[in-house]
């Protein structure tokens, strides 16, 4: 039995009926590399169930402390019901990208069952008309509660359920685990009382280590040696979210993303991603006549997990506020401004201490936080206070070698994240085998036109590419149709989905309802 950290538990407390707190991954596979060119659901069910037996994040369930007097505990059940967690669905004909996005939006909007281990996986068949993909593809969509994993630990689980070759044999594991005893109510209350007595001593210890750092940062801010983000403008994404979601994504050549980075001295791949999102949000809000004069601000999670903490699950993450410079018209100048902003934000975060807020999160009051989240959602309090961020942008780099599941090779991976009151737009940046993806999850009432936002993302990328490397970029690979994949053929270095038919090169035309 293991108690959740304050940061892990906060994702349970902040969860409301309209804002489930889970993160998800979408993986698309081709069956051409599988034995006999076919993958059956039973194979995926058995293979996945066998692989995840040894992963604690997928075999533990929650045990709440009575009256919410302390953070909950993880109880290891030793096993789980694979047929409950791994489910089978299919798209109706024609099985195109729009249908897949709608299905993902609906599945992602549903909360997880807290009486079971907090994850689900959906095998999705019928992907016969995805532009740029061979016919007969299938997808896996996995949902895991943010209380159990963050982006980095989620990627570790992704690696655990895949192979490095199509002909890898999955041997049946004999995992011996001792299920935890279900603690009694009296036992939990006793633990809560002991923890309550220890809390002041823990707080003094954390404060002793951090207060001098805070004082130093305060003095640096007064002298102007450090800067932090100022006023955050209000947008349509800073209100109360509904229970409905939308999802869309773009796939871009990683080679061109790196080319943009190399053509702009000092910038990073993450800077390029932030600039693309900044340009897309500028185009989207401008088309709706809602573009503020000030720069939009994104919350960027920062992985502070060290080598000793790999494979431990949970959340070991800090945050950083970054201006995405939606107020800058020129794409190249926007990237330069983003780079300067991220440099300043990193200096501020390093001065405060990346793990400082995770240390203080242990003292989050369980009952008060959960009740406050529910009341704030019910009364729409987020509409009465100044926003903290306009969106979330998280970068979770993936492997650059082909991955296989039951012999089927993964072609693409995307991600979704939780949207909440006040922050109704979540971006996941990822990369895999020469492909760079930007996925967007939002509230359906805030973003009723996700296809248009996808066009804005693509147009923003092309605008930035043309402003930096268009003359030096080699001729791009055709994306009209993916070449067939065989067991002996290496994965293509770059891959990108074709641009929507109506997407403009620089300024996309807004779609009418």
């Amino acid at each position: 039995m293991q108690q959740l950290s304050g940061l892990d538990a906060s994702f349970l407390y902040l969860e409301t009926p309209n804002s489930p707190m889970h993160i998800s991954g979408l993986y698309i596979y081709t069956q051409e590399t599988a034995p006999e060119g076919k993958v059956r659901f039973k194979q995926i069910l058995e293979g996945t169930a066998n692989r995840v037996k040894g992963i604690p994040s997928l075999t533990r369930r929650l045990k709440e402390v009575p009256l919410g007097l302390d953070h909950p505990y993880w109880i290891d059940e030793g096993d789980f019901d694979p047929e409950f967690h791994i489910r089978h669905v299919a798209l109706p004909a024609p099985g195109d990208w729009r249908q897949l996005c709608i299905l993902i939006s609906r599945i992602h909007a549903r909360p997880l069952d807290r009486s079971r281990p907090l994850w689900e996986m959906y095998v999705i068949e019928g992907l016969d008309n995805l532009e740029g993909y061979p016919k007969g593809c299938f997808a896996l969509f996995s949902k895991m509660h943010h209380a159990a994993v963050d982006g980095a630990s989620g990627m570790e689980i992704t690696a655990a359920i895949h192979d490095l070759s199509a002909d890898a044999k999955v041997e049946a594991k004999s995992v011996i685990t001792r299920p935890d005893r279900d603690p009694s109510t009296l036992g939990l209350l006793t633990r809560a009382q002991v923890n309550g007595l220890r809390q002041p001593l823990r707080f003094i210890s954390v404060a002793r280590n951090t207060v001098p750092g805070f004082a130093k940062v305060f003095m640096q801010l007064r002298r102007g040696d450090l800067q932090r983000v100022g006023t955050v403008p209000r947008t349509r994404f800073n209100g109360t979210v509904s229970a409905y979601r939308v999802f869309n994504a773009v796939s871009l050549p990683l080679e061109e993303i790196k080319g943009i980075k190399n053509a702009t001295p000092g910038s990073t791949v993450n800077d390029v991603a932030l600039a693309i999102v900044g340009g897309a949000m500028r185009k989207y809000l401008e088309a709706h006549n809602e573009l503020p004069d000030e720069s939009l601000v994104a919350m960027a999670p920062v992985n502070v997990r060290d080598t000793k903490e790999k494979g431990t699950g949970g959340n070991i993450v800090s945050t950083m506020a970054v201006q995405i410079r939606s107020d800058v018209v020129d794409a190249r100048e926007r990237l330069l401004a983003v780079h300067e902003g991220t440099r300043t934000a990193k200096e501020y975060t390093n001065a405060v201490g990346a793990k400082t807020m995770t240390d203080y999160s242990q003292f989050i009051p369980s009952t008060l936080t959960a009740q406050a989240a529910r009341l704030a959602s019910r009364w729409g309090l987020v509409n009465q206070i100044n926003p903290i961020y306009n969106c979330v942008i998280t970068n979770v780099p993936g492997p650059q070698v082909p991955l296989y599941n039951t012999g089927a090779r993964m072609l693409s991976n995307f991600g979704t994240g939780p949207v909440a009151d006040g922050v109704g737009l979540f971006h996941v940046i990822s990369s895999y085998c020469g492909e760079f993806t930007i996925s967007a999850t939002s509230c359906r009432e805030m973003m009723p036109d996700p296809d248009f936002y996808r066009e804005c993302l693509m147009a923003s990328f092309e605008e930035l590419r043309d402003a930096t490397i268009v003359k030096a970029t080699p001729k791009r690979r055709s994306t009209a149709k993916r070449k067939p994949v065989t067991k002996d053929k290496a994965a293509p270095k770059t891959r990108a989905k074709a641009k929507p038919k109506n997407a403009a090169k620089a300024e996309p035309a807004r779609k009418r309802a």
Side-chain angles (χ1 to χ4, degrees):
M1 188 170 72
Q2 178 183 346
Q3 189 170 31
L4 276 71
S5 69
L7 183 58
D8 292 344
S10 68
F11 291 105
L12 296 172
Y13 306 149
L14 296 174
E15 189 169 62
T16 67
N18 285 357
S19 183
M21 285 290 162
H22 52 255
I23 57 178
S24 309
L26 172 64
Y27 315 101
I28 300 177
Y29 303 84
T30 175
Q31 300 187 69
E32 296 173 355
T33 57
E36 302 178 359
K38 183 69 175 178
V39 176
R40 294 172 175 79
F41 173 70
K42 184 178 180 180
Q43 293 175 285
I44 299 175
L45 181 68
E46 293 176 350
T48 304
N50 184 56
R51 289 175 181 275
V52 304
K53 284 181 180 178
I55 301 177
S57 300
L58 305 183
T59 59
R60 302 180 301 190
R61 64 175 175 85
L62 279 174
K63 181 66 177 182
E64 303 278 355
V65 176
L67 305 176
L69 296 178
D70 202 357
H71 299 322
Y73 289 83
W74 290 120
I75 303 295
D76 198 328
E77 293 192 321
D79 204 353
F80 63 93
D81 179 5
E83 293 189 0
F84 173 84
H85 292 276
I86 306 172
R87 305 169 185 188
H88 192 192
V89 296
L91 291 180
D96 56 25
W97 176 254
R98 181 175 179 274
Q99 290 175 297
L100 179 61
C101 289
I102 292 173
L103 177 62
I104 295 304
S105 301
R106 290 174 177 172
I107 296 175
H108 185 65
R110 297 197 290 262
L112 292 164
D113 184 352
R114 289 199 182 186
S115 67
R116 306 263 190 164
L118 292 176
W119 67 280
E120 295 173 354
M121 181 179 291
Y122 293 80
V123 180
I124 305 172
E125 289 191 281
L127 280 62
D128 294 329
N129 197 31
L130 293 187
E131 190 171 8
Y133 293 87
K135 188 175 181 179
C137 286
F138 71 93
L140 292 182
F141 183 64
S142 62
K143 295 170 54 176
M144 290 175 279
H145 203 285
H146 218 326
V149 295
D150 58 15
S153 56
M155 191 58 69
E156 292 172 0
I157 293 174
T158 297
I161 63 174
H162 287 89
D163 301 308
L164 295 177
S165 64
D167 56 358
K169 301 297 182 182
V170 181
E171 298 181 0
K173 291 183 179 180
S174 179
V175 180
I176 300 176
T177 58
R178 294 183 177 180
D180 293 325
R181 288 186 177 181
D182 203 347
S184 65
T185 299
L186 179 60
L188 291 172
L189 290 175
T190 301
R191 284 172 178 258
Q193 180 68 20
V194 173
N195 288 337
L197 295 174
R198 291 176 177 173
Q199 235 18 5
L201 297 177
R202 293 173 180 168
F203 185 84
I204 292 173
S205 176
V206 172
R208 184 186 300 118
N209 296 326
T210 56
V211 167
F214 282 135
K216 183 178 178 181
V217 169
F218 177 74
M219 294 304 298
Q220 289 178 310
L221 288 171
R222 288 193 62 180
R223 292 195 304 263
D225 297 336
L226 285 179
Q227 293 181 351
R228 56 183 175 184
V229 172
T231 304
V232 179
R234 179 173 292 279
T235 70
R236 61 168 56 208
F237 301 113
N238 297 120
T240 304
V241 298
S242 72
Y244 308 103
R245 300 289 175 262
V246 290
F247 165 80
N248 218 315
V250 294
S251 297
L252 310 170
L254 180 58
E255 183 180 358
E256 294 189 8
I257 296 295
K258 290 181 177 179
I260 296 172
K261 173 188 74 72
N262 295 336
T264 314
S267 66
T268 65
V269 168
N270 196 57
D271 292 338
V272 175
L274 293 172
I276 292 173
V277 173
M281 292 191 70
R282 174 184 175 86
K283 294 176 186 298
Y284 183 86
L285 293 175
E286 193 171 39
H288 288 274
N289 298 316
E290 298 173 1
L291 180 66
D293 295 331
E294 305 87 353
S295 172
L296 301 179
V297 176
M299 187 267 274
V302 179
N303 180 23
V304 293
R305 190 182 304 268
D306 58 32
T307 54
K308 295 180 181 179
E309 294 165 326
K310 287 186 177 180
T312 58
N315 293 266
I316 307 177
V317 64
S318 184
T319 60
M320 184 171 66
V322 182
Q323 290 184 321
I324 56 178
R325 303 317 304 263
S326 56
D327 56 328
V328 178
V329 178
D330 182 78
R332 188 174 185 279
E333 293 299 320
R334 182 184 308 119
L335 176 56
L336 293 172
V338 164
H339 170 64
E340 178 62 24
T342 55
R343 183 188 63 79
T344 303
K346 288 175 183 176
E347 289 177 354
Y348 179 78
T349 301
N350 292 335
V352 173
K355 280 194 172 184
T356 298
M357 297 315 297
T358 61
D359 292 337
Y360 277 101
S361 67
Q362 187 62 34
F363 308 107
I364 294 174
S366 54
T367 304
L368 180 62
T369 304
Q371 291 178 348
R374 288 192 291 268
L375 290 175
S377 177
R378 185 183 307 166
W379 294 343
L381 296 182
V382 72
N383 299 310
Q384 311 300 323
I385 60 176
N386 294 328
I388 303 175
Y389 309 106
N390 298 116
C391 67
V392 177
I393 305 175
T394 180
N395 190 348
V396 187
Q400 297 306 308
V401 294
L403 298 181
Y404 298 83
N405 189 306
T406 58
R409 183 165 69 81
M410 185 197 297
L411 298 178
S412 299
N413 73 322
F414 307 91
T416 66
V419 298
D421 292 344
V423 191
L425 179 58
F426 196 109
H427 301 88
V428 177
I429 312 297
S430 189
S431 59
Y432 165 71
C433 272
E435 181 180 58
F436 187 85
T437 59
I438 303 177
S439 309
T441 310
S442 186
C443 164
R444 192 172 72 186
E445 294 183 1
M446 293 178 175
M447 184 183 285
D449 46 1
D451 290 342
F452 174 62
Y453 188 65
R454 180 182 185 275
E455 292 178 9
C456 292
L457 286 168
M458 183 64 74
S460 179
F461 159 70
E462 293 180 345
E463 186 177 65
L464 184 57
R465 181 200 61 196
D466 293 348
T468 53
I469 63 168
V470 65
K471 294 181 180 180
T473 302
K475 187 175 180 181
R476 297 177 64 185
R477 183 191 301 272
S478 172
T479 60
K481 185 178 181 181
R482 292 176 184 266
K483 293 184 178 180
V485 180
T486 63
K487 293 181 181 180
D488 300 325
K489 193 167 185 178
K493 291 184 179 180
T494 60
R495 191 186 304 116
K497 276 195 272 295
K499 178 180 156 185
K501 294 181 180 179
N502 296 328
K505 186 173 183 180
E507 294 291 342
R510 179 182 172 188
K511 289 189 175 181
R512 301 293 182 183

